Structures are given as C-alpha cells and as structure tokens.
Amino acid sequence: MQFQTVMVSLFINFFFLFFTGTKSESGQKDMELRKTSIYNTIDMAPQLDYYANTLPHQEIKIRPSLDVLRKTFEVRFPPVEKRSHCCVFLTLQLEQLKQNKKDIYFLFFLSQMRCMLNIWGVILFLRLTWITSQAGIVLGLVIIALAVSVTTTTALSISAIATNGRVKSGGTYFMISRTLGPELGASIGLIFSLANALAVALHTVGFSEVVRDLMRSYGTIMVDSLNDVRIIGVVTVTILLFITFGGMDWEAKAQIFFFIVLMASFVDYLVGTLIPPTLLKKSQGFFGYDRDIFIENLTPSWRGPDGNFFRQFAIFFPACTGILSGANISGDLKDPSTAIPKGTLMAIFCTTLSYVVIVITSGASTVRDASGNMTDLMTGNSTSGCLGPACKLGWNFTTCVQSQACSQGLANYSQVMGLISGSYYLIVAGVFAATLSSALGFLVSAPKIFQCLCKDNVYPYISFFGKGYGKNNEPLRGYILTYLIAVAIILVAQLNIIAPFISNFFLCSYCLINLSCFHASIVNSPGWRPAFKYYNKWTALYGAMASFALMFAFTWWAALVTWFVISLLFIYITYLKKPNVNWGSSIQASSYNMALSFSVSLTDVKDHVKNFRPQCLVMTGPPKQRPALVDFVGCFTKQVSLMICGNIIMPDKQTQFQDSTDQYVKWLNKRKVRSFYTQFTANTLRDGVRYLMQASGLGKLKPNTLVIGFKSNWMESSPTTYHFFHILLRIWSNLYDNTYLLLFAANDISENSKSDQVKTVFKNAGGTKTIDVYWIADDGGLILLVPYLLTRRKCWRSCKIRVYSMLSSVLVFELTIFTVAPYRLYDEQQEDVSVQELKKKEPWKISDKQFEAFRLKSERKVRLNEIIRRNSQNTTLVLVSLPVPHGDCPSALYIAWLDTLTCGLHCPAVLVRGNQENVLTFYCQ
C-alpha cells in the first residue's frame, strides 16, 4: 500500500517536472513546498500537513480560503527549459524509496525485538518450569493459550488503532485517550504507567534472585536471603536508571546486546535437551526425553497456597505483558503504523512458540521431585516401594517425596532451564538478559506514557513530570519517579506477590484497549477506518470480556480496587476537572448515535397529556443580554424538556453576530443552563420569529412554547416597538394554533456585576416565599404546570404555590391608571381625514371608537392589577393568565393591557397562555 502511494507521488512529481522544468535545487525545494493542484496553482494538492490540527502542540498549516481561490488569478509556471532535471529528481526519489524500505524493515525488527525482550522475562526462566510442574503439560498449554488469546486480540486492537492514523508519542495512553476520550483514556493512562513501573520491580527482583542464588552457590551471603534480593535489586535498578539517562541510543544498543544473549541461551537450552544427562543431572531430576515422564507430567499436581489454575495463570500472565512495548515508544518510531502491527504480532508468535517448546521439553524430560543426592541411585533391579517415573530409570526419590523434603525437580528448583541446558552459565546470562532487558524496557516506557499524560494537563500537579530534555525530549523527571516507585516495590522482594498485582493492572489496560476498539466500531464513526485488515470488532469484545473476567478470577479484591480507582478518576475528570480538550473520541460519536436514534424513535411515540413538556423557544437575542429570561426558563426546563435560545439577526447587525454562536454556547454552559442556541437572519423581527418557530427543533423535539421578554419601553415609538406589537398579535393567528405563550416581565431583578455572568433572582434560593398564580382563564393548565416544575428545583423547593381563581363579573371598576394617550388617533377631533387613512399610516394606533369598545376590558385589567398588587407584595414570582385579544383589538391597546397587569410589582411576572389543550390531568388515566 505504501509502495503504491509513493509511486503515485512520483508520477505526480514527474508530471510537473516534465511540463515545468526545474533549473536548480532551490527550484526543486520550491516545487516540493508548493505541491499545487492541476486545477489552479493557488489551489493546493493534498498534503498531510493540512490534517495536523488534531495533534497537540502542532503548528497548523492553513489552506487558501474559498474566497482567496475565487478572487486570485491563476499563476502560470515559467516556460519549459530543462526537462532533464525531471530524470535527476525521479532518480533521487527512487533512491529515497529504497532507503525508506530499508528503514521500514529495520523499524519492524526494532519493534519486534523490543516486544520480544519485554515479553521474555523473569517468568520464562524462573517460573515457567515450576508452572509446568503445578498445572501439568496440558493445563500449562491451556494457560499459555488463554493468555496469548488475550494478548493477541489486544495486539489486533492496537494494530487497528495504530493504522487508523498517525500515532505520536504516548503509546498506549495516546491511543486509548484519542479513541475513548480523556475520561477513560486518562484514567487508564495513569494505571498503565503505574503497571509499567511495577513491571520494572518485577523483573529486577527476578534478576536479583538469580544473582543471590549464584552468590550462595559460591558461599557468599551479604545479610540473608530476603535482604540480599533487596540490596541487589536497588543497585541494579540504579544502574539501569543511569543507562536511560544516556538516551534512547544507549538503551537501544543495550537491548540489541541483550537480544543476542537471549538467542544464544535458547539455542543452548534446546541443545541441552538432546545431550545425554550426567549422573549429577539425573540426581537433580533431568533424565532426557522419556515417555513415562511425559505421561506423568501431562496432568496437574497442585501444591501449596498457589496450587490452583487461576493462581498459576496470574503468575504466568506477566510473561505476556510486553506486547505494548513497541507501541509505548511510538514517538521514537519513524513509521509506527507499519512497525507496531507487524512487530507486535510477530513477537507474540515467536515468544508463544518458545513457551510451548519449553513447557513440552521440560515436562517430557524432568521429573517433578528429586533429591539431588547421588545415594538415591538404585543398584538393583527391584523397584518395590519406589514412587514416581524415576524408578524405572534407576533412581528412588521416594524418601524425599514422602517427607516433602525434595529440593530438586520441576516443582522445587526454579532454575531447571539451567539444569537442562548444555551450559548453565549461558542460561544464567540469558536470565540476566531477559530480566534486565525487560526491566530496562519498562523503565523507558513508563515515563514516556506518563509524560504524554502530563502534557495533556488532564490531572493537576503532574505537569512537572511532562518536561522533556535533549533532542529526543527525554522525560528525565519521569525516569526518577519510575525509579522511586520501582525501589519501593523491590523492597517487597517476593516474586509471587508482585506478579498477580502486575497482571491485574495489565489486564485492566488490555480490557480498555479492546473496549475502545469495539466501541469505536459499533458507533460507526466515519473517523474510525483502520487499515489493518485482520481486525474484527468481535475479537476486540472477546479480549475486553476475557480480560475483565480474568482480573476477578486472579485476585478479586485487587480487581475491585483497580476498577474503584478508575471510577474515581473517571468521575473526577467528568464532573470536576472537565478538561478543555476535543479529541474526537468514540464516546462523542456514540452520543451522536444515541441522540439520533432516540430522536427518530420519538416520531413513533404518540403524545399523551401525562407526558407533556413545555419545549421552549426563548427569544433571548444574545443570551448574555437577557440573563433573567434565560435563568427563568432554564429553571423549569433543565433535565425536563427542550430549551432553545433564539436570536434574530437583522441585516444591519449580521456582521456583528455571524461568528458569535460558540461564544454564546460557552456562556450558557458556564451558566449551567442546558439549552441550544440558534441564530436566524431575517429582514424583520416579526418574520424572524415566525420562521424560527417553524424551523427550530427536530421531529418531536420541536418547540411548543414561545417565551418572549416583555418590552418595558414600549411607550417609546420605534421600529422594534412596531414589530413587537405585531409579534404578539401574530401569535393568535392560525400559524400558532399549537403554540403556548409565556410573556416574561421583570423590573431590575439582576444584580450589578462587572462579570458577564450576572446573578439574577432565579439563581438565588426562593426561601419560604410563595409563587402566586392568577388562574383567570382555563386554557389547559399550563399556568399551573410551570410553577410546579419550578418547585422541583432545589432553590425553589421550599416555595409554596398559591392559586387565585375568580369570576370576571366582580372586576368591573372605574378606569383609574390606564393611559394609552401616545397611541391614540383622536380621529374624531380631526376634520377632513378619515379613520382609514390614519390607520393606514399608523396601523398600531387606537381609534376613538376602538377605545370605547374595549373600555370595559381595559377596566378589568386595571382592577386585576390592583388585586395582584394587594395580595402579592412579598411573593417571589407572579403568574397571570394572558388575555386573548379580539380580532379588532389594536396592538397598542393590547400591549397596554399587559403592561397594566404587571404594573407596580416588585417581583418577576409571567403572563401565560395555553392553546386550550390540556397539559395536565387530575385523573389517573
């Protein structure tokens, strides 16, 4: 695939060079930088640099805008002079292609070697033969197969992520966080960094045990068995720390040396299985390949506190945990998307083959129990009373077996591989190489993962460890932190205690890696398009489920602690930290899928009065200019129903507000108001409201309630006042037959503040005050539903609702404060001018005939206002039924009625009107 891509690139370069000619090297460089398309020299050809906007700390290259492309004339290339330069350039490109192929092969080998070195470790040489004695050959192979199935599915998932896009430094953490998002990615990044640090201690302790045993064989003891391991371990990890300080070059050279030693030790082991054993080796349990020994070791022989299948599995599993070593140094690989999949899978195959070979060969040639005493050699042919397959081979280990005092054999001697090999010291060198290479690999990978986590600034107080040094950006501070953690674990000095904990952490990492791939697959995100063809989402699901189950099978309480810690970290990032990052994760894609699916399914749900929710279109304009209106609606719609803040942009203000959507959404989020924001361009305010009411929403999630702030300065004549009059009257036309209306009137209820987050009365607790409802007209009950929804909020919960309902016949009183003088035509006082002519010029004004016709209704509004002011002086909120205007009612007169109803109140007032359809029920139906 890469070869084809390069050849296409060569063809394009050849095309341009052939028709343009290149005079000098500077011309070649200019051509390389421009890479223009054949459509237009300004229109750039596809380049990876334009797609780097998702990478952190990356300088973004910007394409020419569409406006530039439309307005710029085509610039032609200079005339052709020397086409021979094309051949020179093409030759250089082919040489570079050959060099790139060599680099790819080398990086593939480097990734494979690093994985193999980290997979082969202390468990291979010091515990695999012991596991064979406990579980037997059959169950030993089952343990290997089960472990490899988990690591292989994880490797397939890692390969899928690595080929889904360019992978930068950070390895596993980078892959998971960019797939699952910061919530889970950062949590597992912290756990995985700790797991790598613990693995340093594991392999260092294994190395220390071998050195201690070697010293004891020569009669050298420093303190005692346990403290000798601690001393050797601390000294060893300190030396490894100084090697890492030398940089990746020194570390890579050391790893190559360790790899050569390991290969030599394997050859030594295989050759040793074919060499006839000496009497000394036979006394220690090694007899060469034998049918009876093989059959005896096929079945398990559980012994001691670790004598069960899952405990043995937990001890073995760290021998498979190095599969991510290549991915962990992704920042140091030239082409991670090629090196990681091939190197990781080949490393798993080679190491698995080695494990299978060692289990079968050791189980077929070595007995479980032997004394190591030459006196156990039988001189006669009698085998009566002798136990075990060694009896037929002339050795009687019955005494030590019955007394459980055997010190040799598969079950008792940890260095059986050295016993079987041709040269014991070459196996010791292999143990040194395996343990030190693994410890060194984890000592390098843990700080690099942690460094990427620190640079993302997801957790506080850890950015100190994100600083890099030198040309390779080495995390020296991270090295020291990993060193201190490793030293603390080395002091435990017991391999069988450390191994299960490390298995737990790595299984948790594998679980989330597979889960991230499976999740990205099922949400069908267009951004998830791995080029690795062997990946399957169901293998990823198996890997996740198997890893999760094995965590609890190994050590259930450790698994609980691990997931509890991850849950705490997840909660912290989700609800407390809320990092300002956007990585295009699969969780975002899943949210979209769920929202889309549920929105579509709502279309089949029939409406019922018990499920009615006021879905509000709030005409806020720029939301920060009307915080009280936003807070009021947000109080009764949050987590209950839909809220959309609408803004009508007039032609003269279009430039001012065209790029303000993100700004207002951030303002709403900061104010903790769950609302959408939408802008609409219209020539008039009336047209904008009408169009926005029809266009807003989706399916059943469409506004059914229009909320408008009352224009308190309506007495001032202006074009907006005219449009406000007509908006209110248009509500009662056929266009809004299914719409409910809330008219919000408030006088100075916001606190003065220099901040853009002005505090309003709706952000304060209502205390023990009341919400007064004046239910004048039965329009379906919306005026009762709104205050009920308000009292469900914590800050309004202690408020009491008082409902006033009265007959209109008791409200006939003299007109005392009602005045609409500025909006009267006084047509009877003007001669030679008809009412029609005056109304044509100013249609919102009131003729004398209309004023008298609606006098009775006007007086009722005045009296109702007096009742409201008398009864609701100390209330928190007043809701009043909004009167429905007659078809002939002038808009100015109607506005005056509404102003009169709310005049003189010292609290917010809301005028509510339903559409004569029930929105609540008093019956269980």
Side-chain angles (χ1 to χ4, degrees), residues 216-483:
R216 292 176 66 182
S217 67
Y218 288 98
T220 304
I221 299 176
M222 290 184 287
V223 182
D224 56 45
S225 178
L226 203 60
N227 285 310
D228 284 359
V229 172
R230 291 168 179 163
I231 295 171
I232 297 169
V234 172
V235 172
T236 302
V237 79
T238 304
I239 295 174
L240 294 177
L241 177 66
F242 285 111
I243 294 177
T244 59
F245 281 166
M248 285 296 296
D249 293 337
W250 279 90
E251 189 266 347
K253 292 175 182 178
Q255 295 285 32
I256 292 175
F257 171 75
F258 290 146
F259 185 76
I260 294 173
V261 173
L262 266 172
M263 291 295 100
S265 66
F266 275 124
V267 173
D268 176 51
Y269 171 80
L270 293 176
V271 170
T273 62
L274 301 175
I275 299 175
T278 63
L279 289 177
L280 179 60
K281 287 189 175 183
K282 288 183 178 180
S283 70
Q284 294 174 319
F286 174 59
F287 293 92
Y289 295 116
D290 183 80
R291 178 174 176 273
D292 293 332
I293 295 176
F294 178 75
I295 294 174
E296 176 71 18
N297 289 335
L298 282 176
T299 56
S301 176
W302 308 117
R303 304 179 185 185
D306 296 324
N308 62 77
F309 178 84
F310 288 108
R311 187 66 179 175
Q312 293 297 309
F313 192 108
I315 293 173
F316 170 77
F317 194 76
C320 300
T321 55
I323 62 169
L324 301 180
S325 299
N328 290 338
I329 60 163
S330 56
D332 300 306
L333 297 175
K334 187 176 180 180
D335 187 10
S337 61
T338 301
I340 290 175
K342 293 182 179 179
T344 303
L345 292 173
M346 186 58 68
I348 292 176
F349 173 77
C350 293
T351 54
T352 302
L353 181 62
S354 67
Y355 292 152
V356 171
V357 168
I358 291 173
V359 167
I360 294 176
T361 55
S362 64
S365 61
T366 310
V367 296
R368 284 190 171 101
D369 298 296
S371 64
N373 296 326
M374 298 294 293
T375 57
D376 288 334
L377 177 63
M378 294 188 297
T379 57
N381 295 325
S382 175
T383 59
S384 60
C386 184
L387 301 177
C391 298
K392 295 182 180 180
L393 300 173
W395 290 83
N396 187 355
F397 301 127
T398 306
T399 303
C400 78
V401 171
Q402 292 178 342
S403 62
Q404 297 182 354
C406 295
S407 60
Q408 300 295 320
L410 287 176
N412 308 291
Y413 186 48
S414 61
Q415 298 184 38
V416 171
M417 287 187 65
L419 172 67
I420 298 175
S421 65
S423 172
Y424 171 78
Y425 294 103
L426 197 52
I427 291 296
V428 171
V431 175
F432 288 175
T435 53
L436 292 179
S437 64
S438 297
L440 185 59
F442 285 117
L443 186 58
V444 170
S445 60
K448 288 187 176 291
I449 298 170
F450 193 61
Q451 182 186 37
C452 186
L453 178 63
C454 295
K455 285 184 176 180
D456 285 336
N457 197 26
V458 178
Y459 294 114
Y461 313 121
I462 64 172
S463 57
F464 173 81
F465 298 100
K467 182 176 176 58
Y469 296 87
K471 63 178 182 179
N472 292 327
N473 197 30
E474 297 292 342
L476 299 185
R477 296 173 179 176
Y479 288 147
I480 296 174
L481 178 63
T482 304
Y483 166 78

Side-chain angles (χ1 to χ4, degrees), residues 75 88 192 198 337 403 416 433 476 503 523 708 771 879 910 916:
V75 180
V88 176
F192 193 63
L198 295 180
S337 61
S403 62
V416 171
L476 299 185
S503 297
V523 298
I708 304 177
I771 299 176
L879 292 95
V910 184
Q916 306 306 106

